[in-house]
Amino acid sequence: MSNLLKSKFFLGVMIVTVMFAGVLAFTSSASASDCSLGSTTLKYGSTGTAVTCLQETLGLDSSYPRGYFGNVTKNLVIAFQSANSLTADGLVGPMTKAALSVAPTTTTTTTTTTTTTADLCPNGNTLASNCSLAPATTTTAEALCPNGNTVASNCAILPATTTTTVNANGLAGTFGTISTITQLSAYNNEEVGDSAKDVKIMGLDLTASADGDIALQSIKLTFDATGYGSGDSTRITDFLSSVSVWMGTTKVATASTADFTKDDTGIYSKTIALSNAIVRADKTEKFYVSVDAIGNMDSGDINSDSWTVGINSIRYVDGSGVVTTDADIMPAALEWNAAGDGVGIAFVTFSTSVDTELKISLDSASPVAGISTVNATNNTDNVVLAKGKMKLEGTSDIWLDELPFLFTTNATNADEVSSTVYLTIGGNTYSESMTATAGTTEAITFDNLDLDIVAGSTTTFSVLADINDIETTVFDEGDYLTVDLDATRRALMVVENSEGTQLTDGTEVSGVMSGNKQYFYSIAPTISVSSVSITPVDNGSSSPASAIAKMTLKITADGGTIYLNGDDETTAANEFITLAVDGGTVTSTTVGSYTFTPSGTYTVTNNGANDEYYTINDGDVMYVLIEAVISQGTAGPAVLAGLKGTAILFDTTVPDGTTAPVNTMNWTTLTDILKSGKTVVTGA
């Protein structure tokens, strides 16, 4: 216990002792000879006539209820024990009862050892009352059971009732103190950025003792710049404009840094008065210290500073009106006694303090590589090329005004495929025109977006294009268009934090969005994989390892009738589908001959010369089950990853039986569409 707390304790004991001495010296109320203190030890929570006898023997004020051993009774017992050289524990056992039994019950004329607040007559009454005797008060007690409870309650044990007295200052109890203070370790070495507001730099849990409420009156804080960098400012007003104290989410004090006092070593201190910061008995409240930074902090002052902030003392008042200034209960991490004490503060640029990072990526809803069927004679509007998202991390909002993209095609010029492209973001749509002479790639910037993005949010966007009609342009069947927001384009973005500072590319803006190729046909098969499997073949100790791969394709005619090449497998150019192994760790893996089994809605025609073709009308669906053997080709364990389709041959006119199909859908860059899956096949 600190000296201050000890002083406070003994002062309270002395006051109660003096009051009690006055009762013994000048009253003749009931004593142990008039009632019984019982045979059991009386203590906090005890009830019954023995407690009533104890209270009357101690001279408890008549305004307090009788028969219940509460805090007031306990404090009187402790005071009596202290005055009579007994163990001051508040327990009324044999020794305390014996001392109470011999306490004087008659008038004592010796008054030199007693301090009273009014002159007394010989009969113990005040001179102000002309020594008249106050009328006696009579208490009629209910009939009690042997256990001390009332007969009216059928001798049931009832819960003890407690009367809480609230003082004029709104505090319950009289001997409240600070029980503990614990640092909230999450608040240490906090970064305070330019113009930042209410940045919490220190936190603590403060617990009041169970004896009573306390009201915090003030806290003395010290800001220490002794760790500043060479040539940096040591003036607190060059960094901070104000300091605030919070109790939970309520601000209970604010002080201007201009009012802090600086000593000759560069230490700034101030005792800050708190308002309505009451901590109830045996409760814990969270307190925080926050700061507001000035705008436009000098970059030369914040390049190497190492400031600290600590607490010198906390002043509070209890229910009895006793004011305590406590400097000894502070944990070492929060206490300031010498240079460098307390928790750290780092003064940084605004961007650094808010940890802003805008992360760009391809959205999961973005189209995979595939085919879009477009109109042969009219433009097809609003074809989605890609969808992206931007996730904003940190605590600062941002402002986005320009977003550039790169468009790529295999046509002669990008505007042959599309003359107008669009960006949809933040509920708005923006359009830009393609340039006629840009070539196969063209950079387009969507500007004047004027979009505010909130910290912690994710913003999605879409890039679309109006696709030209194939018939009236040099745009060919099978041409494609892609859109990317690559690192080069990302560096050209106009995006600022809430302080108006451009975000730094590569650190505060990261990631890319790469769209997949979208092939355009007026009539084409739409193809997807409806099922896949790969089953290892048990070759025992033989080589090579092998597996049977199966892949079922769903083929839908879109835009008109399509004609798929048939079973002439004499040359690769006439194969219905070209297959390859997808991935794997063995370079010599091979694919054996395959078979396919069609089903669904289609017709098959044989043109002779071992050449069949399949006709699928617009909107009809044909399923093709392809089975192939994958062989490792060498001995030893291997990963046989499965099949992928690399090309599908089709015509949009009736094949003549001699000419290879006109259209080759090259799937080299579309392997995600035609995969059979992965597995590990172990060979000998």
Side-chain angles (χ1 to χ4, degrees):
M1 183 182 297
S2 69
N3 292 332
L4 286 170
L5 292 179
K6 290 178 180 176
S7 299
K8 180 181 174 182
F9 173 80
F10 288 118
L11 174 61
V13 171
M14 180 182 73
I15 292 170
V16 176
T17 303
V18 170
M19 292 171 57
F20 182 75
V23 171
L24 290 184
F26 299 104
T27 65
S28 56
S29 60
S31 69
S33 62
D34 301 318
C35 59
S36 172
L37 296 174
S39 59
T40 61
T41 297
L42 302 178
K43 57 184 178 180
Y44 184 91
S46 297
T47 58
T49 57
V51 174
T52 301
C53 180
L54 171 66
Q55 292 167 330
E56 293 178 350
T57 302
L58 293 173
L60 178 66
D61 188 274
S62 61
S63 63
Y64 288 91
R66 294 290 194 268
Y68 176 74
F69 195 127
N71 278 324
V72 175
T73 304
K74 181 179 178 181
N75 290 334
L76 288 174
V77 170
I78 291 174
F80 174 84
Q81 291 170 326
S82 299
N84 289 273
S85 302
L86 298 170
T87 301
D89 56 5
L91 302 177
V92 183
M95 294 184 66
T96 302
K97 289 179 181 179
L100 287 167
S101 297
V102 299
T105 61
T106 59
T107 302
T108 301
T109 58
T110 303
T111 62
T112 56
T113 60
T114 304
T115 301
T116 63
T117 59
D119 294 325
L120 301 180
C121 304
N123 63 4
N125 294 311
T126 64
L127 291 175
S129 69
N130 295 320
C131 298
S132 62
L133 293 173
T137 58
T138 302
T139 302
T140 301
E142 288 189 85
L144 300 180
C145 306
N147 62 3
N149 296 311
T150 64
V151 173
S153 70
N154 295 320
C155 299
I157 298 177
L158 300 176
T161 58
T162 302
T163 301
T164 301
T165 302
V166 177
N167 303 282
N169 55 10
L171 304 178
T174 56
F175 297 103
T177 62
I178 296 177
S179 175
T180 58
I181 294 178
T182 306
Q183 180 192 16
L184 298 177
S185 57
Y187 299 95
N188 191 17
N189 294 318
E190 293 297 310
E191 294 180 336
V192 180
D194 189 275
S195 299
K197 303 298 181 185
D198 289 325
V199 180
K200 292 179 180 177
I201 59 174
M202 175 189 290
L204 56 93
D205 278 334
L206 188 149
T207 303
S209 67
D211 302 313
D213 304 340
I214 59 174
L216 273 60
Q217 294 183 322
S218 64
I219 182 172
K220 185 177 182 181
L221 296 176
T222 291
F223 283 79
D224 181 352
T226 54
Y228 70 96
S230 176
D232 293 347
S233 174
T234 60
R235 297 177 59 187
I236 193 171
T237 53
D238 285 344
F239 301 93
L240 304 175
S241 60
S242 63
V243 178
S244 299
V245 180
W246 302 72
M247 178 175 168
T249 58
T250 302
K251 186 179 292 188
V252 294
T254 298
S256 171
T257 54
D259 296 331
F260 275 64
T261 301
K262 180 182 180 183
D263 66 13
D264 55 4
T265 63
I267 305 300
Y268 286 85
S269 298
K270 180 173 175 57
T271 298
I272 303 175
L274 309 181
S275 173
N276 198 31
I278 295 176
V279 183
R280 300 300 178 185
D282 205 26
K283 298 296 183 181
T284 299
E285 297 287 350
K286 295 187 183 298
F287 287 85
Y288 306 94
V289 176
S290 72
V291 295
D292 287 350
I294 68 168
N296 301 316
M297 282 192 289
D298 191 324
S299 60
D301 289 337
I302 61 175
N303 56 6
S304 58
D305 280 13
S306 178
W307 285 53
T308 60
V309 59
I311 302 175
N312 300 81
S313 61
I314 295 178
R315 186 170 68 233
Y316 61 92
V317 62
D318 67 7
S320 67
V322 175
V323 177
T324 302
T325 301
D326 200 331
D328 297 331
I329 199 170
M330 218 69 59
L334 299 179
E335 187 177 23
W336 193 93
N337 287 313
D341 284 354
V343 299
I345 312 173
F347 296 109
V348 298
T349 63
F350 178 83
S351 296
T352 301
S353 68
V354 296
D355 297 323
T356 299
E357 184 175 1
L358 184 64
K359 295 183 175 180
I360 301 169
S361 62
L362 189 70
D363 191 79
S364 59
S366 185
V368 297
I371 299 172
S372 291
T373 304
V374 296
N375 197 291
T377 57
N378 296 293
N379 289 353
T380 303
D381 295 337
N382 299 319
V383 175
V384 177
L385 300 180
K387 293 184 177 183
K389 62 182 179 180
M390 294 182 287
K391 182 178 181 181
L392 180 58
E393 297 184 349
T395 57
S396 172
D397 299 345
I398 64 170
W399 175 73
L400 175 65
D401 198 48
E402 295 186 11
L403 196 57
F405 295 92
L406 181 67
F407 293 84
T408 304
T409 184
N410 58 343
T412 304
N413 204 66
D415 82 314
E416 294 174 359
V417 180
S418 173
S419 58
T420 308
V421 290
Y422 303 91
L423 169 67
T424 299
I425 188 170
N428 295 315
T429 298
Y430 307 87
S431 64
E432 295 289 340
S433 298
M434 290 284 194
T435 304
T437 58
T440 59
T441 61
E442 181 169 359
I444 296 288
T445 296
F446 295 94
D447 55 10
N448 298 319
L449 305 181
D450 194 23
L451 177 65
D452 293 319
I453 299 178
V454 178
S457 66
T458 297
T459 300
T460 58
F461 61 90
S462 299
V463 182
L464 307 90
D466 289 345
I467 306 302
N468 297 327
D469 59 280
I470 297 177
E471 187 176 73
T472 59
T473 70
V474 292
F475 166 33
D476 296 329
E477 299 271 359
D479 284 350
Y480 65 79
L481 190 63
T482 64
V483 60
D484 298 284
L485 200 171
D486 55 14
T488 301
R489 251 47 56 179
R490 186 187 67 211
L492 300 176
M493 292 174 58
V494 175
V495 54
E496 300 175 356
N497 60 33
S498 57
E499 290 301 301
T501 303
Q502 171 71 26
L503 300 188
T504 303
D505 181 62
T507 55
E508 294 178 317
V509 185
S510 62
V512 296
M513 185 219 70
S514 297
N516 293 302
K517 289 181 178 179
Q518 300 304 311
Y519 292 84
F520 302 109
Y521 289 88
S522 59
I523 301 175
T526 300
I527 304 173
S528 63
V529 176
S530 60
S531 67
V532 294
S533 68
I534 183 165
T535 305
V537 175
D538 185 4
N539 293 327
S541 58
S542 303
S543 297
S546 60
I548 297 175
K550 295 182 180 181
M551 175 169 59
T552 299
L553 301 180
K554 178 183 178 181
I555 305 173
T556 304
D558 190 7
T561 301
I562 60 171
Y563 305 91
L564 297 176
N565 193 49
D567 60 359
D568 180 4
E569 307 300 332
T570 56
T571 64
N574 291 331
E575 290 179 345
F576 167 73
I577 182 171
T578 304
L579 296 177
V581 175
D582 177 33
T585 59
V586 180
T587 58
S588 59
T589 303
T590 59
V591 178
S593 61
Y594 67 89
T595 60
F596 65 89
T597 304
S599 62
T601 304
Y602 66 94
T603 58
V604 58
T605 303
N606 192 326
N607 280 353
N610 199 29
D611 184 15
E612 292 180 338
Y613 63 89
Y614 298 86
T615 302
I616 308 175
N617 293 321
D618 187 17
D620 287 346
V621 178
M622 173 183 179
Y623 293 91
V624 178
L625 171 61
I626 301 171
E627 297 181 67
V629 176
I630 305 174
S631 177
Q632 175 187 327
T634 59
V639 176
L640 301 178
L643 297 178
K644 67 179 178 181
T646 60
I648 290 181
L649 307 182
F650 73 98
D651 279 320
T652 56
T653 58
V654 177
D656 60 11
T658 59
T659 306
V662 174
N663 297 304
T664 300
M665 295 181 61
N666 192 326
W667 296 99
T668 303
T669 58
L670 305 178
T671 55
D672 285 339
I673 295 179
L674 302 176
K675 281 188 177 180
S676 64
K678 297 179 182 293
T679 190
V680 175
V681 180
T682 303

